Amino acid sequence: MKKLILFSLFCITLISCNENSKKQTQPKTQRGLITSKAMVVSARAEASKIGTDILKKGGNAFDAMMATEMALAVTYPYAGNLGGGGFMVYRLNDGTFGALDYREKAPLAATKNMYLDEEGNVIKDKSTVGAFAVGIPGTVAGIFAAHEKFGSLPITEILQPVIDLANNGFVITEKQQQRFTEYDSIFNAVNEKEILFSKHTKANDTIKNLKLAETLKRIASKGKEEFYKGETAKHLVDFLSQKGGIITLEDLELYEAKWRDPIAFNYKDIKVVSMSPPSSGGICLAQIMKMIEPFDIQQYGHNSLKAIKVIVEAERRAYADRSFYLGDPDFVDIPTNHLLSDVYLQERMSDFSFKNPTISDSLSYGIIPGYESDQTTHYSIVDQFGNAVSVTTTLNGAYGSKLYVDELGFFLNNEMDDFSSKPGVPNVYGLIGAEANSIAPQKRMLSAMTPTIIEKEGELHMVLGTPGGSTIITSVLQTILNVEEFGMTMQQAVDAPRFHHQWLPDEIRMEVNRFPDELKQQLQKSGYPINEEAPPITARVDAILVLDDGSLEAGADHRGDDTADGF
Ligand code: DON
């Protein structure tokens, strides 16, 4: 019965999200904030300001990353987190690129079929709601790894403003209030009591998160060990086991963030650098951009029938490959070079025709000879020294598993749903996976997060990324094309209407009420089903563009409370 109630609440949540998405806000400005030296663009004004203040004090992009990430954990519990994970791509001012993986992992006690019933069917909600859905959090390990390698200011100095923010409180926005009300019943059902964030909180109220302030204070003075071995770790494990979770102290102690080589490729005159597995972002983005490169989409026009057809067909093929080949590189061999080779991608697009769509059911992953076989947030930072970081971090679903650790002041992720619980059965984003992304102890679940940095003529050019589940990759793609092919400003590129195709289901998802009826009819007539209903495109791109005179232009997504700051 309890499970049934939880499931109904989850459905209501999805439906109400969808209702909300119909009230589209329209973009207001042509140009984003322009600054001369440094900038932080994130989902909350307070987080962008705290990051900027750290830069003003002489800190670098990695110091600002720690401050911004933790400030989002305070002010944006929807996705900002201590209980989740993420990915960071960086470019140093000497042109060196790198990437950090602080993705959650499956606990030691996880098993391949842990979300299946006796008949082998996926049990609804088990991988998305409550303690059993939680992966081992990676965020604290991530910000400490970045700081250890590149940080310059003392951790206590970086975290003090965040601790003050949690103690003094932050102001609830209209959008936040709406979400607290939408999620109130599921919060109560999962936590069996009211939590700090509830429908009783009104817009313009100030929320103080004193427990989170204490947790952050302990972490600031004792380091990441506090989260993975100390008092915080012990409390977290006790709490989870009382709620039916399986994460142990050993799981926390074993967790480490990993430095990875990012995916780098050229598209016309730009070099794009994005996240490597266990995120699918970089590989899919590279495949799509390489498949569309031979077509003159600039001449076809922005969101024209012809441009949409080319982009959709490239997306369809890349997402089909994703579902089969991609997973945690520490567990599966990914044929990256082959998947990104010109010969393979030309062959993959060889049956493309403007006349007829490829039917997804007739399309599978590409054959490689010899090969065996809801909520996130992004922030972009450029510092006054010319370093850049692009970070996407998540709890997965909105407020993760909805499980709130009262005593520690944060939500826990439901990242286990990003594994493929059963081959061919879609996850909450409708994504289908296979063996490469099956559950195993200590394995990282496949992600779509696509933090990206672009270089032009050897110089830093753009920093961007977004939340949005399966729509992350295609939203990053369209934002890049909007600037590079269609000559938009950073802000226009972020605000422009978006569409999405992910192979299965075989449909083009479009932002509601933002595409002309005639275009939709033409697409439908050509055999492309359109879906403006569920699930909505939830991407909120936060980006920075380096302008010709060296100043920085922000693209802060008008769809959220996203804000740029800088100097
Ligand atoms: O890693 C992933 O791909 C997902 N956990 C991201 C979830 C997400 O973006 C939800 N936001 N709308």
Side-chain angles (χ1 to χ4, degrees):
M1 185 62 191
K2 192 169 154 194
K3 276 185 196 147
L4 194 69
I5 294 171
L6 281 182
F7 177 58
S8 315
L9 289 171
F10 190 59
C11 292
I12 292 167
T13 302
L14 283 181
I15 292 163
S16 57
C17 266
N18 204 16
E19 284 302 311
N20 243 1
S21 77
K22 287 183 189 157
K23 299 174 211 144
Q24 283 289 345
T25 48
Q26 295 300 321
K28 292 190 190 84
T29 53
Q30 299 293 304
R31 273 270 181 213
L33 175 73
I34 296 193
T35 65
S36 60
K37 288 197 185 106
M39 184 175 275
V40 181
V41 193
S42 81
R44 285 285 304 209
E46 297 87 339
S48 298
K49 177 166 182 348
I50 281 187
T52 300
D53 288 347
I54 291 292
L55 297 177
K56 279 186 184 157
K57 275 184 162 180
N60 64 25
F62 302 91
D63 299 319
M65 171 193 173
M66 180 179 258
T68 308
E69 178 107 15
M70 288 299 98
L72 287 167
V74 174
T75 54
Y76 195 62
Y78 195 46
N81 66 82
L82 272 75
F87 297 103
M88 182 260 280
V89 171
Y90 67 83
R91 181 185 184 277
L92 302 181
N93 53 13
D94 66 1
T96 315
F97 282 97
L100 180 66
D101 160 5
Y102 55 99
R103 181 68 159 167
E104 298 91 326
K105 292 174 83 169
L108 286 163
T111 58
K112 187 170 174 171
N113 297 331
M114 63 192 277
Y115 297 117
L116 304 186
D117 65 16
E118 281 161 10
E119 272 115 52
N121 299 316
V122 174
I123 304 168
K124 268 272 184 233
D125 289 349
K126 213 169 173 188
S127 63
T128 53
V129 183
F132 206 63
V134 181
I136 307 161
T139 296
V140 175
I143 55 175
F144 273 85
H147 184 268
E148 194 177 290
K149 195 160 173 175
F150 296 116
S152 65
L153 295 182
I155 283 169
T156 42
E157 201 174 321
I158 297 172
L159 289 182
Q160 193 54 50
V162 186
I163 295 167
D164 295 342
L165 180 66
N167 269 326
N168 300 333
F170 63 97
V171 176
I172 300 301
T173 66
E174 299 273 348
K175 289 192 171 87
Q176 263 182 319
Q177 181 203 340
Q178 272 171 23
R179 286 195 294 260
F180 291 157
T181 307
E182 277 167 25
Y183 287 85
D184 190 64
S185 46
I186 193 161
F187 286 162
N188 292 338
V190 173
N191 294 286
E192 296 168 301
K193 64 176 180 190
E194 196 163 281
I195 59 168
L196 184 64
F197 311 101
S198 79
K199 66 178 177 197
H200 304 300
T201 319
K202 298 284 169 250
N204 299 319
D205 281 359
T206 297
I207 290 196
K208 298 180 183 184
N209 191 340
L210 305 181
K211 294 290 184 191
L212 183 53
E214 282 172 29
T215 304
L216 287 168
K217 215 165 146 188
R218 288 197 303 277
I219 291 174
S221 71
K222 296 185 183 149
K224 81 162 196 197
E225 267 58 44
E226 169 58 25
F227 190 88
Y228 291 97
K229 289 183 184 160
E231 190 188 325
T232 305
K234 291 186 188 108
H235 187 91
L236 185 55
V237 168
D238 284 350
F239 174 84
L240 277 168
S241 74
Q242 278 164 30
K243 299 282 182 188
I246 53 171
I247 291 178
T248 60
L249 267 181
E250 191 185 357
D251 282 318
L252 288 177
E253 278 176 32
L254 284 173
Y255 187 88
E256 275 184 355
K258 280 197 146 182
W259 294 98
R260 307 256 184 209
D261 290 331
I263 299 289
F265 61 96
N266 293 320
Y267 173 86
K268 299 188 177 172
D269 61 345
I270 56 172
K271 174 176 170 181
V272 182
V273 180
S274 192
M275 194 61 215
S276 45
S279 178
S280 60
I283 290 185
C284 283
L285 184 66
Q287 284 195 310
I288 298 169
M289 292 190 81
K290 293 305 245 179
M291 282 190 269
I292 63 180
E293 194 174 23
F295 296 86
D296 194 353
I297 58 166
Q298 187 170 8
Q299 192 249 320
Y300 305 157
H302 176 245
N303 283 347
S304 63
L305 185 65
K306 278 181 91 173
I308 292 178
K309 282 185 183 179
V310 172
I311 294 169
V312 157
E313 291 300 345
E315 289 175 353
R316 187 198 307 275
R317 286 158 175 77
Y319 276 78
D321 279 358
R322 175 195 196 274
S323 75
F324 184 75
Y325 288 113
L326 304 191
D328 182 347
D330 296 342
F331 284 71
V332 288
D333 285 331
I334 300 173
T336 307
N337 291 339
H338 202 112
L339 287 171
L340 300 185
S341 76
D342 290 341
V343 177
Y344 174 77
L345 292 169
Q346 272 160 22
E347 168 61 26
R348 206 76 178 110
M349 267 310 250
S350 60
D351 57 349
F352 168 78
S353 139
F354 281 109
K355 285 212 185 89
N356 297 311
T358 306
I359 304 301
S360 286
D361 279 345
S362 70
L363 176 85
S364 185
Y365 50 88
I367 300 302
I368 294 189
Y371 179 78
E372 290 171 24
S373 325
D374 234 336
Q375 201 57 25
T376 305
T377 189
H378 177 88
Y379 55 94
S380 295
I381 302 178
V382 174
D383 71 19
Q384 63 279 28
F385 312 110
N387 305 302
V389 303
S390 181
V391 185
T392 314
T393 179
T394 190
L395 289 164
N396 190 27
Y399 309 99
S401 61
K402 323 291 183 261
L403 193 60
Y404 184 72
V405 199
D406 232 354
E407 274 302 303
L408 301 176
F410 59 82
F411 282 103
L412 289 162
N413 70 80
N414 60 349
E415 214 68 65
M416 291 296 284
D417 187 61
D418 272 351
F419 278 118
S420 170
S421 295
K422 184 181 176 183
V425 177
N427 75 356
V428 87
Y429 303 106
L431 289 168
I432 286 172
E435 191 51 38
N437 190 31
S438 63
I439 306 173
Q442 294 285 293
K443 190 174 172 183
R444 286 166 154 97
M445 53 297 279
L446 185 63
S447 172
M449 293 192 277
T450 314
T452 299
I453 298 182
I454 295 176
E455 204 178 69
K456 197 173 199 165
E457 290 162 9
E459 301 288 337
L460 178 66
H461 180 55
M462 201 191 297
V463 185
L464 80 163
T466 181
S470 57
T471 68
I472 291 175
I473 301 164
T474 56
S475 300
V476 167
L477 166 79
Q478 288 167 86
T479 309
I480 299 172
L481 296 178
N482 289 348
V483 174
E484 300 309 320
E485 297 282 10
F486 304 116
M488 295 187 197
T489 68
M490 193 71 261
Q491 189 61 49
Q492 287 169 330
V494 163
D495 289 338
R498 298 187 194 118
F499 60 91
H500 169 79
H501 198 293
Q502 59 178 49
W503 175 47
L504 293 171
D506 192 345
E507 63 190 19
I508 303 179
R509 266 197 247 166
M510 290 186 139
E511 274 191 286
V512 186
N513 298 334
R514 296 206 61 201
F515 286 83
D517 288 341
E518 198 191 329
L519 176 71
K520 289 184 278 189
Q521 281 155 13
Q522 283 172 329
L523 278 166
Q524 263 158 337
K525 250 214 240 125
S526 325
Y528 288 92
I530 307 283
N531 189 349
E532 284 186 309
E533 297 297 318
I537 295 177
T538 50
R540 307 269 180 273
V541 178
D542 283 336
I544 301 174
L545 180 68
V546 182
L547 302 177
D548 287 345
D549 66 357
S551 57
L552 307 171
E553 191 210 74
D557 207 311
H558 78 283
R559 299 163 181 86
D561 291 324
D562 304 53
T563 309
D565 206 331
F567 56 92

